PDB file of all heavy atoms in Angstrom:
ATOM      1  N   GLY A   1    -157.172 -10.142 -49.777  1.00  0.00           N
ATOM      2  CA  GLY A   1    -156.780  -9.241 -48.699  1.00  0.00           C
ATOM      3  C   GLY A   1    -155.814  -8.157 -49.143  1.00  0.00           C
ATOM      4  O   GLY A   1    -155.473  -8.044 -50.318  1.00  0.00           O
ATOM      5  N   HIS A   2    -155.374  -7.350 -48.177  1.00  0.00           N
ATOM      6  CA  HIS A   2    -154.453  -6.244 -48.431  1.00  0.00           C
ATOM      7  C   HIS A   2    -153.003  -6.713 -48.352  1.00  0.00           C
ATOM      8  O   HIS A   2    -152.691  -7.688 -47.661  1.00  0.00           O
ATOM      9  CB  HIS A   2    -154.653  -5.130 -47.388  1.00  0.00           C
ATOM     10  CG  HIS A   2    -156.001  -4.491 -47.428  1.00  0.00           C
ATOM     11  ND1 HIS A   2    -156.330  -3.468 -48.287  1.00  0.00           N
ATOM     12  CD2 HIS A   2    -157.126  -4.743 -46.702  1.00  0.00           C
ATOM     13  CE1 HIS A   2    -157.584  -3.102 -48.091  1.00  0.00           C
ATOM     14  NE2 HIS A   2    -158.086  -3.852 -47.135  1.00  0.00           N
ATOM     15  N   GLN A   3    -152.151  -5.984 -49.020  1.00  0.00           N
ATOM     16  CA  GLN A   3    -150.710  -6.215 -48.877  1.00  0.00           C
ATOM     17  C   GLN A   3    -150.274  -5.662 -47.527  1.00  0.00           C
ATOM     18  O   GLN A   3    -150.548  -4.511 -47.213  1.00  0.00           O
ATOM     19  CB  GLN A   3    -149.943  -5.505 -49.991  1.00  0.00           C
ATOM     20  CG  GLN A   3    -149.984  -6.228 -51.336  1.00  0.00           C
ATOM     21  CD  GLN A   3    -149.112  -7.471 -51.342  1.00  0.00           C
ATOM     22  OE1 GLN A   3    -149.632  -8.582 -51.260  1.00  0.00           O
ATOM     23  NE2 GLN A   3    -147.817  -7.301 -51.393  1.00  0.00           N
ATOM     24  N   LEU A   4    -149.568  -6.457 -46.743  1.00  0.00           N
ATOM     25  CA  LEU A   4    -149.098  -6.017 -45.427  1.00  0.00           C
ATOM     26  C   LEU A   4    -147.581  -6.039 -45.387  1.00  0.00           C
ATOM     27  O   LEU A   4    -146.934  -6.812 -46.110  1.00  0.00           O
ATOM     28  CB  LEU A   4    -149.648  -6.937 -44.331  1.00  0.00           C
ATOM     29  CG  LEU A   4    -151.166  -7.007 -44.162  1.00  0.00           C
ATOM     30  CD1 LEU A   4    -151.527  -8.021 -43.079  1.00  0.00           C
ATOM     31  CD2 LEU A   4    -151.747  -5.648 -43.821  1.00  0.00           C
ATOM     32  N   SER A   5    -147.027  -5.205 -44.519  1.00  0.00           N
ATOM     33  CA  SER A   5    -145.578  -5.237 -44.313  1.00  0.00           C
ATOM     34  C   SER A   5    -145.199  -6.580 -43.692  1.00  0.00           C
ATOM     35  O   SER A   5    -146.047  -7.235 -43.066  1.00  0.00           O
ATOM     36  CB  SER A   5    -145.157  -4.094 -43.387  1.00  0.00           C
ATOM     37  OG  SER A   5    -145.660  -4.328 -42.070  1.00  0.00           O
ATOM     38  N   PRO A   6    -143.959  -7.024 -43.850  1.00  0.00           N
ATOM     39  CA  PRO A   6    -143.541  -8.306 -43.258  1.00  0.00           C
ATOM     40  C   PRO A   6    -143.823  -8.388 -41.757  1.00  0.00           C
ATOM     41  O   PRO A   6    -144.223  -9.427 -41.250  1.00  0.00           O
ATOM     42  CB  PRO A   6    -142.038  -8.362 -43.554  1.00  0.00           C
ATOM     43  CG  PRO A   6    -141.868  -7.507 -44.771  1.00  0.00           C
ATOM     44  CD  PRO A   6    -142.876  -6.409 -44.628  1.00  0.00           C
ATOM     45  N   GLN A   7    -143.623  -7.241 -41.052  1.00  0.00           N
ATOM     46  CA  GLN A   7    -143.854  -7.237 -39.600  1.00  0.00           C
ATOM     47  C   GLN A   7    -145.334  -7.449 -39.271  1.00  0.00           C
ATOM     48  O   GLN A   7    -145.690  -8.269 -38.417  1.00  0.00           O
ATOM     49  CB  GLN A   7    -143.381  -5.901 -38.985  1.00  0.00           C
ATOM     50  CG  GLN A   7    -141.889  -5.670 -39.060  1.00  0.00           C
ATOM     51  CD  GLN A   7    -141.464  -5.024 -40.379  1.00  0.00           C
ATOM     52  OE1 GLN A   7    -142.277  -4.870 -41.303  1.00  0.00           O
ATOM     53  NE2 GLN A   7    -140.194  -4.651 -40.452  1.00  0.00           N
ATOM     54  N   LEU A   8    -146.202  -6.688 -40.000  1.00  0.00           N
ATOM     55  CA  LEU A   8    -147.642  -6.830 -39.745  1.00  0.00           C
ATOM     56  C   LEU A   8    -148.137  -8.211 -40.150  1.00  0.00           C
ATOM     57  O   LEU A   8    -148.994  -8.791 -39.490  1.00  0.00           O
ATOM     58  CB  LEU A   8    -148.421  -5.759 -40.503  1.00  0.00           C
ATOM     59  CG  LEU A   8    -148.637  -4.408 -39.811  1.00  0.00           C
ATOM     60  CD1 LEU A   8    -149.493  -3.508 -40.666  1.00  0.00           C
ATOM     61  CD2 LEU A   8    -149.276  -4.594 -38.443  1.00  0.00           C
ATOM     62  N   LYS A   9    -147.592  -8.748 -41.242  1.00  0.00           N
ATOM     63  CA  LYS A   9    -147.986 -10.077 -41.694  1.00  0.00           C
ATOM     64  C   LYS A   9    -147.663 -11.119 -40.639  1.00  0.00           C
ATOM     65  O   LYS A   9    -148.455 -12.037 -40.371  1.00  0.00           O
ATOM     66  CB  LYS A   9    -147.276 -10.412 -43.019  1.00  0.00           C
ATOM     67  CG  LYS A   9    -147.770 -11.696 -43.673  1.00  0.00           C
ATOM     68  CD  LYS A   9    -149.222 -11.564 -44.119  1.00  0.00           C
ATOM     69  CE  LYS A   9    -149.760 -12.851 -44.715  1.00  0.00           C
ATOM     70  NZ  LYS A   9    -151.188 -12.745 -45.061  1.00  0.00           N
ATOM     71  N   GLU A  10    -146.526 -10.982 -40.017  1.00  0.00           N
ATOM     72  CA  GLU A  10    -146.117 -11.911 -38.958  1.00  0.00           C
ATOM     73  C   GLU A  10    -147.106 -11.867 -37.789  1.00  0.00           C
ATOM     74  O   GLU A  10    -147.503 -12.906 -37.249  1.00  0.00           O
ATOM     75  CB  GLU A  10    -144.710 -11.537 -38.483  1.00  0.00           C
ATOM     76  CG  GLU A  10    -144.146 -12.447 -37.417  1.00  0.00           C
ATOM     77  CD  GLU A  10    -142.789 -11.969 -36.917  1.00  0.00           C
ATOM     78  OE1 GLU A  10    -142.083 -11.267 -37.664  1.00  0.00           O
ATOM     79  OE2 GLU A  10    -142.450 -12.283 -35.757  1.00  0.00           O
ATOM     80  N   PHE A  11    -147.541 -10.655 -37.424  1.00  0.00           N
ATOM     81  CA  PHE A  11    -148.485 -10.514 -36.309  1.00  0.00           C
ATOM     82  C   PHE A  11    -149.888 -10.991 -36.726  1.00  0.00           C
ATOM     83  O   PHE A  11    -150.632 -11.513 -35.898  1.00  0.00           O
ATOM     84  CB  PHE A  11    -148.531  -9.063 -35.830  1.00  0.00           C
ATOM     85  CG  PHE A  11    -147.454  -8.743 -34.825  1.00  0.00           C
ATOM     86  CD1 PHE A  11    -146.156  -8.501 -35.239  1.00  0.00           C
ATOM     87  CD2 PHE A  11    -147.733  -8.717 -33.463  1.00  0.00           C
ATOM     88  CE1 PHE A  11    -145.157  -8.223 -34.329  1.00  0.00           C
ATOM     89  CE2 PHE A  11    -146.740  -8.439 -32.534  1.00  0.00           C
ATOM     90  CZ  PHE A  11    -145.447  -8.191 -32.967  1.00  0.00           C
ATOM     91  N   GLN A  12    -150.230 -10.796 -37.991  1.00  0.00           N
ATOM     92  CA  GLN A  12    -151.526 -11.279 -38.464  1.00  0.00           C
ATOM     93  C   GLN A  12    -151.592 -12.802 -38.384  1.00  0.00           C
ATOM     94  O   GLN A  12    -152.603 -13.377 -37.952  1.00  0.00           O
ATOM     95  CB  GLN A  12    -151.774 -10.832 -39.912  1.00  0.00           C
ATOM     96  CG  GLN A  12    -153.162 -11.191 -40.424  1.00  0.00           C
ATOM     97  CD  GLN A  12    -153.264 -11.108 -41.938  1.00  0.00           C
ATOM     98  OE1 GLN A  12    -152.520 -11.776 -42.644  1.00  0.00           O
ATOM     99  NE2 GLN A  12    -154.184 -10.287 -42.426  1.00  0.00           N
ATOM    100  N   ILE A  13    -150.505 -13.474 -38.777  1.00  0.00           N
ATOM    101  CA  ILE A  13    -150.447 -14.946 -38.712  1.00  0.00           C
ATOM    102  C   ILE A  13    -150.588 -15.414 -37.265  1.00  0.00           C
ATOM    103  O   ILE A  13    -151.322 -16.364 -36.963  1.00  0.00           O
ATOM    104  CB  ILE A  13    -149.119 -15.457 -39.325  1.00  0.00           C
ATOM    105  CG1 ILE A  13    -149.125 -15.215 -40.845  1.00  0.00           C
ATOM    106  CG2 ILE A  13    -148.916 -16.940 -39.027  1.00  0.00           C
ATOM    107  CD1 ILE A  13    -147.783 -15.445 -41.517  1.00  0.00           C
ATOM    108  N   ARG A  14    -149.908 -14.714 -36.359  1.00  0.00           N
ATOM    109  CA  ARG A  14    -149.994 -15.072 -34.932  1.00  0.00           C
ATOM    110  C   ARG A  14    -151.409 -14.861 -34.412  1.00  0.00           C
ATOM    111  O   ARG A  14    -151.945 -15.682 -33.653  1.00  0.00           O
ATOM    112  CB  ARG A  14    -148.996 -14.220 -34.156  1.00  0.00           C
ATOM    113  CG  ARG A  14    -148.876 -14.587 -32.689  1.00  0.00           C
ATOM    114  CD  ARG A  14    -147.783 -13.765 -32.039  1.00  0.00           C
ATOM    115  NE  ARG A  14    -147.707 -14.025 -30.609  1.00  0.00           N
ATOM    116  CZ  ARG A  14    -146.879 -13.382 -29.771  1.00  0.00           C
ATOM    117  NH1 ARG A  14    -146.055 -12.463 -30.257  1.00  0.00           N
ATOM    118  NH2 ARG A  14    -146.871 -13.671 -28.490  1.00  0.00           N
ATOM    119  N   HIS A  15    -152.017 -13.768 -34.838  1.00  0.00           N
ATOM    120  CA  HIS A  15    -153.381 -13.441 -34.411  1.00  0.00           C
ATOM    121  C   HIS A  15    -154.374 -14.486 -34.935  1.00  0.00           C
ATOM    122  O   HIS A  15    -155.267 -14.937 -34.205  1.00  0.00           O
ATOM    123  CB  HIS A  15    -153.742 -12.048 -34.929  1.00  0.00           C
ATOM    124  CG  HIS A  15    -155.075 -11.540 -34.474  1.00  0.00           C
ATOM    125  ND1 HIS A  15    -155.425 -11.445 -33.145  1.00  0.00           N
ATOM    126  CD2 HIS A  15    -156.161 -11.099 -35.194  1.00  0.00           C
ATOM    127  CE1 HIS A  15    -156.656 -10.961 -33.041  1.00  0.00           C
ATOM    128  NE2 HIS A  15    -157.121 -10.758 -34.269  1.00  0.00           N
ATOM    129  N   LYS A  16    -154.227 -14.880 -36.184  1.00  0.00           N
ATOM    130  CA  LYS A  16    -155.116 -15.894 -36.765  1.00  0.00           C
ATOM    131  C   LYS A  16    -154.965 -17.233 -36.045  1.00  0.00           C
ATOM    132  O   LYS A  16    -155.954 -17.952 -35.848  1.00  0.00           O
ATOM    133  CB  LYS A  16    -154.831 -16.052 -38.265  1.00  0.00           C
ATOM    134  CG  LYS A  16    -155.394 -14.916 -39.114  1.00  0.00           C
ATOM    135  CD  LYS A  16    -155.330 -15.242 -40.605  1.00  0.00           C
ATOM    136  CE  LYS A  16    -156.090 -14.188 -41.411  1.00  0.00           C
ATOM    137  NZ  LYS A  16    -156.195 -14.511 -42.847  1.00  0.00           N
ATOM    138  N   LYS A  17    -153.751 -17.553 -35.662  1.00  0.00           N
ATOM    139  CA  LYS A  17    -153.514 -18.812 -34.938  1.00  0.00           C
ATOM    140  C   LYS A  17    -154.258 -18.789 -33.599  1.00  0.00           C
ATOM    141  O   LYS A  17    -154.900 -19.768 -33.196  1.00  0.00           O
ATOM    142  CB  LYS A  17    -152.017 -19.011 -34.720  1.00  0.00           C
ATOM    143  CG  LYS A  17    -151.647 -20.332 -34.052  1.00  0.00           C
ATOM    144  CD  LYS A  17    -150.124 -20.494 -33.998  1.00  0.00           C
ATOM    145  CE  LYS A  17    -149.734 -21.852 -33.393  1.00  0.00           C
ATOM    146  NZ  LYS A  17    -150.091 -21.976 -31.988  1.00  0.00           N
ATOM    147  N   HIS A  18    -154.186 -17.646 -32.917  1.00  0.00           N
ATOM    148  CA  HIS A  18    -154.864 -17.490 -31.627  1.00  0.00           C
ATOM    149  C   HIS A  18    -156.392 -17.618 -31.808  1.00  0.00           C
ATOM    150  O   HIS A  18    -157.058 -18.335 -31.049  1.00  0.00           O
ATOM    151  CB  HIS A  18    -154.524 -16.130 -31.025  1.00  0.00           C
ATOM    152  CG  HIS A  18    -155.325 -15.791 -29.801  1.00  0.00           C
ATOM    153  ND1 HIS A  18    -155.041 -16.294 -28.551  1.00  0.00           N
ATOM    154  CD2 HIS A  18    -156.435 -15.004 -29.654  1.00  0.00           C
ATOM    155  CE1 HIS A  18    -155.926 -15.840 -27.686  1.00  0.00           C
ATOM    156  NE2 HIS A  18    -156.779 -15.049 -28.320  1.00  0.00           N
ATOM    157  N   LEU A  19    -156.939 -16.927 -32.817  1.00  0.00           N
ATOM    158  CA  LEU A  19    -158.388 -16.970 -33.043  1.00  0.00           C
ATOM    159  C   LEU A  19    -158.839 -18.357 -33.500  1.00  0.00           C
ATOM    160  O   LEU A  19    -159.945 -18.790 -33.170  1.00  0.00           O
ATOM    161  CB  LEU A  19    -158.796 -15.922 -34.085  1.00  0.00           C
ATOM    162  CG  LEU A  19    -158.735 -14.466 -33.631  1.00  0.00           C
ATOM    163  CD1 LEU A  19    -159.116 -13.534 -34.771  1.00  0.00           C
ATOM    164  CD2 LEU A  19    -159.653 -14.209 -32.435  1.00  0.00           C
ATOM    165  N   HIS A  20    -157.983 -19.052 -34.240  1.00  0.00           N
ATOM    166  CA  HIS A  20    -158.329 -20.407 -34.675  1.00  0.00           C
ATOM    167  C   HIS A  20    -158.518 -21.321 -33.466  1.00  0.00           C
ATOM    168  O   HIS A  20    -159.467 -22.115 -33.411  1.00  0.00           O
ATOM    169  CB  HIS A  20    -157.235 -20.957 -35.588  1.00  0.00           C
ATOM    170  CG  HIS A  20    -157.475 -22.370 -36.022  1.00  0.00           C
ATOM    171  ND1 HIS A  20    -158.461 -22.715 -36.915  1.00  0.00           N
ATOM    172  CD2 HIS A  20    -156.893 -23.534 -35.654  1.00  0.00           C
ATOM    173  CE1 HIS A  20    -158.461 -24.019 -37.097  1.00  0.00           C
ATOM    174  NE2 HIS A  20    -157.514 -24.551 -36.339  1.00  0.00           N
ATOM    175  N   GLU A  21    -157.636 -21.192 -32.493  1.00  0.00           N
ATOM    176  CA  GLU A  21    -157.738 -22.012 -31.278  1.00  0.00           C
ATOM    177  C   GLU A  21    -159.011 -21.688 -30.510  1.00  0.00           C
ATOM    178  O   GLU A  21    -159.601 -22.561 -29.866  1.00  0.00           O
ATOM    179  CB  GLU A  21    -156.502 -21.778 -30.402  1.00  0.00           C
ATOM    180  CG  GLU A  21    -155.222 -22.354 -31.014  1.00  0.00           C
ATOM    181  CD  GLU A  21    -153.965 -21.882 -30.300  1.00  0.00           C
ATOM    182  OE1 GLU A  21    -154.089 -21.057 -29.337  1.00  0.00           O
ATOM    183  OE2 GLU A  21    -152.864 -22.313 -30.683  1.00  0.00           O
ATOM    184  N   ARG A  22    -159.456 -20.436 -30.583  1.00  0.00           N
ATOM    185  CA  ARG A  22    -160.668 -20.016 -29.856  1.00  0.00           C
ATOM    186  C   ARG A  22    -161.954 -20.411 -30.566  1.00  0.00           C
ATOM    187  O   ARG A  22    -163.001 -20.533 -29.933  1.00  0.00           O
ATOM    188  CB  ARG A  22    -160.670 -18.491 -29.678  1.00  0.00           C
ATOM    189  CG  ARG A  22    -159.750 -17.982 -28.583  1.00  0.00           C
ATOM    190  CD  ARG A  22    -159.970 -16.500 -28.373  1.00  0.00           C
ATOM    191  NE  ARG A  22    -161.346 -16.195 -27.959  1.00  0.00           N
ATOM    192  CZ  ARG A  22    -161.852 -14.969 -27.912  1.00  0.00           C
ATOM    193  NH1 ARG A  22    -161.117 -13.940 -28.275  1.00  0.00           N
ATOM    194  NH2 ARG A  22    -163.090 -14.768 -27.515  1.00  0.00           N
ATOM    195  N   THR A  23    -161.898 -20.593 -31.873  1.00  0.00           N
ATOM    196  CA  THR A  23    -163.144 -20.773 -32.633  1.00  0.00           C
ATOM    197  C   THR A  23    -163.268 -22.118 -33.353  1.00  0.00           C
ATOM    198  O   THR A  23    -164.304 -22.382 -33.970  1.00  0.00           O
ATOM    199  CB  THR A  23    -163.290 -19.653 -33.695  1.00  0.00           C
ATOM    200  OG1 THR A  23    -162.177 -19.712 -34.610  1.00  0.00           O
ATOM    201  CG2 THR A  23    -163.337 -18.291 -33.041  1.00  0.00           C
ATOM    202  N   GLU A  24    -162.235 -22.969 -33.284  1.00  0.00           N
ATOM    203  CA  GLU A  24    -162.291 -24.209 -34.076  1.00  0.00           C
ATOM    204  C   GLU A  24    -163.319 -25.204 -33.542  1.00  0.00           C
ATOM    205  O   GLU A  24    -163.785 -26.075 -34.275  1.00  0.00           O
ATOM    206  CB  GLU A  24    -160.908 -24.871 -34.138  1.00  0.00           C
ATOM    207  CG  GLU A  24    -160.389 -25.366 -32.790  1.00  0.00           C
ATOM    208  CD  GLU A  24    -159.049 -26.064 -32.915  1.00  0.00           C
ATOM    209  OE1 GLU A  24    -158.785 -26.644 -33.984  1.00  0.00           O
ATOM    210  OE2 GLU A  24    -158.278 -26.031 -31.935  1.00  0.00           O
ATOM    211  N   LYS A  25    -163.681 -25.086 -32.261  1.00  0.00           N
ATOM    212  CA  LYS A  25    -164.652 -26.011 -31.668  1.00  0.00           C
ATOM    213  C   LYS A  25    -165.990 -25.320 -31.451  1.00  0.00           C
ATOM    214  O   LYS A  25    -166.051 -24.153 -31.052  1.00  0.00           O
ATOM    215  CB  LYS A  25    -164.134 -26.536 -30.321  1.00  0.00           C
ATOM    216  CG  LYS A  25    -162.851 -27.366 -30.415  1.00  0.00           C
ATOM    217  CD  LYS A  25    -163.111 -28.722 -31.045  1.00  0.00           C
ATOM    218  CE  LYS A  25    -161.853 -29.593 -30.989  1.00  0.00           C
ATOM    219  NZ  LYS A  25    -162.065 -30.920 -31.584  1.00  0.00           N
ATOM    220  N   LEU A  26    -167.054 -26.049 -31.715  1.00  0.00           N
ATOM    221  CA  LEU A  26    -168.413 -25.546 -31.501  1.00  0.00           C
ATOM    222  C   LEU A  26    -168.960 -26.182 -30.229  1.00  0.00           C
ATOM    223  O   LEU A  26    -169.057 -27.407 -30.132  1.00  0.00           O
ATOM    224  CB  LEU A  26    -169.292 -25.909 -32.690  1.00  0.00           C
ATOM    225  CG  LEU A  26    -170.725 -25.396 -32.719  1.00  0.00           C
ATOM    226  CD1 LEU A  26    -170.745 -23.870 -32.664  1.00  0.00           C
ATOM    227  CD2 LEU A  26    -171.444 -25.874 -33.966  1.00  0.00           C
ATOM    228  N   LEU A  27    -169.281 -25.359 -29.246  1.00  0.00           N
ATOM    229  CA  LEU A  27    -169.785 -25.851 -27.971  1.00  0.00           C
ATOM    230  C   LEU A  27    -171.265 -26.162 -28.091  1.00  0.00           C
ATOM    231  O   LEU A  27    -172.056 -25.338 -28.547  1.00  0.00           O
ATOM    232  CB  LEU A  27    -169.557 -24.810 -26.870  1.00  0.00           C
ATOM    233  CG  LEU A  27    -169.900 -25.241 -25.443  1.00  0.00           C
ATOM    234  CD1 LEU A  27    -168.930 -26.321 -24.960  1.00  0.00           C
ATOM    235  CD2 LEU A  27    -169.873 -24.046 -24.503  1.00  0.00           C
ATOM    236  N   GLU A  28    -171.647 -27.369 -27.715  1.00  0.00           N
ATOM    237  CA  GLU A  28    -173.057 -27.765 -27.750  1.00  0.00           C
ATOM    238  C   GLU A  28    -173.672 -27.512 -26.385  1.00  0.00           C
ATOM    239  O   GLU A  28    -173.346 -28.176 -25.401  1.00  0.00           O
ATOM    240  CB  GLU A  28    -173.198 -29.243 -28.119  1.00  0.00           C
ATOM    241  CG  GLU A  28    -174.643 -29.673 -28.299  1.00  0.00           C
ATOM    242  CD  GLU A  28    -174.763 -31.137 -28.723  1.00  0.00           C
ATOM    243  OE1 GLU A  28    -174.646 -32.002 -27.829  1.00  0.00           O
ATOM    244  OE2 GLU A  28    -174.932 -31.393 -29.917  1.00  0.00           O
ATOM    245  N   ASN A  29    -174.548 -26.521 -26.306  1.00  0.00           N
ATOM    246  CA  ASN A  29    -175.196 -26.178 -25.043  1.00  0.00           C
ATOM    247  C   ASN A  29    -176.301 -27.174 -24.723  1.00  0.00           C
ATOM    248  O   ASN A  29    -177.103 -27.526 -25.580  1.00  0.00           O
ATOM    249  CB  ASN A  29    -175.779 -24.763 -25.118  1.00  0.00           C
ATOM    250  CG  ASN A  29    -174.703 -23.717 -25.245  1.00  0.00           C
ATOM    251  OD1 ASN A  29    -173.735 -23.733 -24.501  1.00  0.00           O
ATOM    252  ND2 ASN A  29    -174.855 -22.819 -26.203  1.00  0.00           N
ATOM    253  N   LYS A  30    -176.337 -27.611 -23.486  1.00  0.00           N
ATOM    254  CA  LYS A  30    -177.375 -28.546 -23.049  1.00  0.00           C
ATOM    255  C   LYS A  30    -178.544 -27.785 -22.438  1.00  0.00           C
ATOM    256  O   LYS A  30    -178.365 -26.710 -21.853  1.00  0.00           O
ATOM    257  CB  LYS A  30    -176.800 -29.526 -22.012  1.00  0.00           C
ATOM    258  CG  LYS A  30    -175.636 -30.366 -22.538  1.00  0.00           C
ATOM    259  CD  LYS A  30    -176.072 -31.258 -23.681  1.00  0.00           C
ATOM    260  CE  LYS A  30    -174.901 -32.080 -24.216  1.00  0.00           C
ATOM    261  NZ  LYS A  30    -175.279 -32.906 -25.368  1.00  0.00           N
TER     262      LYS A  30
END
């Protein structure tokens, strides 16, 4: 990846945490 400023890196980590919660489970459609 790219080098990010400390501020942007902090927001990237927060963003990844949010997306992880949204995508970690696979919904099985019936």
Side-chain angles (χ1 to χ4, degrees):
H2 297 276
Q3 282 287 104
L4 298 177
S5 68
Q7 294 87 353
L8 272 183
K9 188 66 183 176
E10 182 184 335
F11 275 79
Q12 185 196 58
I13 291 170
R14 186 175 176 184
H15 185 56
K16 284 191 171 186
K17 184 175 183 294
H18 172 79
L19 288 178
H20 177 71
E21 291 168 358
R22 283 188 61 191
T23 61
E24 65 178 331
K25 297 288 186 180
L26 184 59
L27 186 68
E28 185 178 79
N29 294 312
K30 300 297 179 183

